[in-house]
C-alpha cells in the first residue's frame, strides 16, 4: 500500500477560506503557502504516529493555524499512546528547525524565506501548545485530567478550562496590549469550538461508554467502585475512569454487599434499556 493511499481525507475549515480571500486581496500568497505547509507537516506528525499505533483515522480538518485529526478511538486507547500521538505534531516543528538550519548552512534558500518560515513555525508551535481544547496543549491537559479524574469529570473540566482560558487571554491582550483583530478572531474561534464541544458533551460521553460496552477499550488496571443501592446508572458511569475496568460494589444499609461487573451495568443501560432503574434493582434482576 502506498503512502498516498494511506493518507486520510483532508478537509479545509471554512475559516481558512476567509484567510485565502485576504491573501488574494493583499497579495500574501507566499505567506499563506508557508503557513499551510507548516500546518500540513504538523498534522502529518499526528497521523503517522496514529498509524504507528494502528488507530483508525477518519479525516484531518485544517484550520488557519493548526488542524484536528479525527479518529474512531474515542479516548479508549492507552493515555500514553494518546500523549505520543498528540506530541508528534509539535515534534514536527523541531524537524522544520533542523531543515531550516541545513538550508541556512548550505545557502539553499534566501535568508528572508528562512526567517519567515522560522517565524511561522514558531508561532504555530507555541499556538498549538496553548492549554486550550482542541489544540495540542488542550489535548495534553485532557490526558493529565484523565489520569487524575474520572473520564466525564476530566472531559467537562478541560472544556470549561478552555473557555475560561480564551476569555482570560483576550482580557490580557486588551488590558496590556493594543487590540489585535487576528488574535481576537483566533480566541473567538477557539471559544466557539468549546461551546460546540460543550453542547455535544453527552454524545461524546455516550460514545465513550459504547466503546467500553463493545469491549473496544484498553484496560491497564481494575478499580472497584462502592455505591449505594439507590445510585443511578448514570451516577455510576460518571465515576468510570479511562483505561480502568470497574467492579461495582453495592453496599446496602444492613451491611450486605452485592457486586456488579461494569459490563452488567452497561448491558442494562444499552441493551436491556433499564435507564431508570437503580443499581440495587439491577442487581436483583441480573
Amino acid at each position: 500500500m502506498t503512502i498516498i493511499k494511506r493518507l486520510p481525507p483532508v478537509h479545509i475549515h471554512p475559516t481558512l477560506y476567509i484567510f485565502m480571500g485576504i491573501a488574494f486581496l493583499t497579495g500574501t500568497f507566499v505567506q499563506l503557502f508557508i503557513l499551510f505547509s507548516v500546518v500540513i507537516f504538523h498534522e502529518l506528525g499526528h497521523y503517522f504516529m496514529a498509524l504507528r499505533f494502528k488507530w483508525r483515522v477518519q479525516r484531518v480538518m485544517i484550520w488557519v493555524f493548526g488542524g484536528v485529526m479525527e479518529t474512531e478511538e474515542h479516548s479508549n486507547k492507552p493515555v500514553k499512546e494518546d500523549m505520543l500521538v498528540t506530541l508528534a505534531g509539535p515534534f514536527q516543528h523541531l524537524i522544520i528547525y533542523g531543515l531550516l538550519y541545513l538550508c541556512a548552512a548550505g545557502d539553499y534558500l534566501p535568508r528572508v524565506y528562512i526567517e519567515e518560515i522560522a517565524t511561522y513555525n514558531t508561532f504555530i508551535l507555541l499556538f498549538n501548545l496553548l492549554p486550550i481544547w482542541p489544540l495540542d496543549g488542550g489535548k495534553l491537559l485532557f490526558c493529565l485530567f484523565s489520569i487524575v479524574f474520572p473520564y466525564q469529570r476530566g472531559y467537562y473540566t478541560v472544556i470549561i478550562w478552555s473557555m475560561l482560558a480564551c476569555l482570560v487571554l483576550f482580557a490580557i491582550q486588551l488590558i496590556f496590549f493594543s487590540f489585535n483583530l487576528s488574535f481576537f478572531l483566533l480566541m473567538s474561534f477557539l471559544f466557539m469550538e468549546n461551546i460546540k464541544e460543550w453542547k455535544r458533551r453527552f454524545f461524546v460521553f455516550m460514545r465513550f461508554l459504547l466503546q467500553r460496552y463493545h469491549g473496544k477499550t484498553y484496560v491497564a488496571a481494575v478499580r472497584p467502585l462502592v455505591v449505594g443501592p439507590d445510585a443511578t446508572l448514570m451516577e455510576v458511569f460518571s465515576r468510570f475512569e479511562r483505561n480502568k475496568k470497574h467492579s461495582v460494589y453495592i453496599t446496602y444499609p444492613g451491611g450486605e454487599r452485592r457486586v456488579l461487573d461494569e459490563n452488567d451495568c452497561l448491558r442494562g443501560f444499552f441493551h436491556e434499556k433499564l435507564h431508570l432503574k437503580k443499581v440495587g434493582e439491577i442487581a436483583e434482576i441480573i
Side-chain angles (χ1 to χ4, degrees):
M1 183 182 294
T2 64
I3 292 179
I4 298 298
K5 288 182 180 179
R6 298 173 72 179
L7 291 176
V10 176
H11 296 261
I12 305 299
H13 194 276
T15 55
L16 186 54
Y17 290 112
I18 298 175
F19 280 82
M20 288 180 180
I22 294 174
F24 177 79
L25 294 173
T26 58
T28 54
F29 290 106
V30 173
Q31 290 80 0
L32 183 64
F33 176 77
I34 293 172
L35 180 67
F36 188 79
S37 300
V38 172
V39 169
I40 289 292
F41 197 67
H42 174 107
E43 291 304 315
L44 284 175
H46 292 309
Y47 174 69
F48 284 115
M49 184 61 75
L51 201 66
R52 163 70 177 79
F53 292 124
K54 299 180 180 178
W55 284 24
R56 296 163 297 172
V57 180
Q58 293 177 314
R59 67 172 185 168
V60 174
M61 175 68 75
I62 302 299
W63 301 342
V64 181
F65 296 112
V68 173
M69 183 181 69
E70 298 178 8
T71 74
E72 297 180 18
E73 306 311 328
H74 312 313
S75 299
N76 281 305
K77 290 292 186 179
V79 174
K80 179 181 177 181
E81 282 189 15
D82 206 342
M83 295 184 76
L84 288 174
V85 171
T86 301
L87 288 170
F91 179 77
Q92 295 290 89
H93 295 273
L94 303 182
I95 296 177
I96 293 175
Y97 285 129
L99 293 174
L100 290 176
Y101 175 80
L102 294 176
C103 289
D107 200 23
Y108 298 124
L109 278 177
R111 176 68 61 176
V112 62
Y113 286 140
I114 291 176
E115 291 177 354
E116 194 156 19
I117 295 171
T119 298
Y120 279 111
N121 190 53
T122 301
F123 176 79
I124 294 172
L125 172 61
L126 296 178
F127 175 72
N128 276 279
L129 288 177
L130 288 174
I132 299 174
W133 182 271
L135 302 179
D136 293 337
K139 291 180 179 179
L140 290 172
L141 187 63
F142 175 55
C143 287
L144 295 177
F145 285 162
S146 296
I147 296 172
V148 178
F149 303 127
Y151 175 84
Q152 187 186 62
R153 182 179 175 187
Y155 176 61
Y156 289 7
T157 301
V158 77
I159 298 174
I160 295 172
W161 166 280
S162 298
M163 288 190 286
L164 291 175
C166 289
L167 295 175
V168 169
L169 287 174
F170 181 63
I172 291 173
Q173 195 265 335
L174 282 180
I175 295 171
F176 297 101
F177 306 95
S178 59
F179 178 78
N180 184 289
L181 180 60
S182 296
F183 185 81
F184 170 75
L185 292 175
L186 282 175
M187 289 300 106
S188 299
F189 170 73
L190 289 174
F191 185 81
M192 293 309 299
E193 284 296 307
N194 279 279
I195 290 290
K196 289 194 294 185
E197 196 71 21
W198 181 257
K199 289 180 179 178
R200 63 194 291 266
R201 66 190 185 281
F202 184 75
F203 165 76
V204 172
F205 185 55
M206 287 295 103
R207 189 175 59 186
F208 167 75
L209 294 177
L210 273 171
Q211 290 282 317
R212 294 178 77 109
Y213 174 54
H214 292 299
K216 299 177 181 179
T217 183
Y218 170 79
V219 177
V222 177
R223 176 166 295 179
L225 299 178
V226 180
V227 300
D230 293 329
T232 65
L233 284 175
M234 287 305 298
E235 288 172 341
V236 173
F237 295 154
S238 69
R239 295 174 59 183
F240 277 13
E241 298 181 36
R242 189 174 174 183
N243 297 164
K244 293 183 177 66
K245 186 175 177 62
H246 301 291
S247 296
V248 182
Y249 287 87
I250 307 169
T251 304
Y252 293 85
E256 179 190 355
R257 267 194 173 189
R258 292 192 180 185
V259 61
L260 285 175
D261 187 84
E262 73 165 51
N263 290 335
D264 295 328
C265 297
L266 291 168
R267 186 172 65 252
F269 187 86
F270 289 112
H271 183 68
E272 305 294 340
K273 309 299 182 184
L274 304 176
H275 307 129
L276 303 179
K277 297 289 186 182
K278 311 294 185 182
V279 289
E281 296 175 306
I282 293 175
E284 298 285 346
I285 296 171
I286 296 177

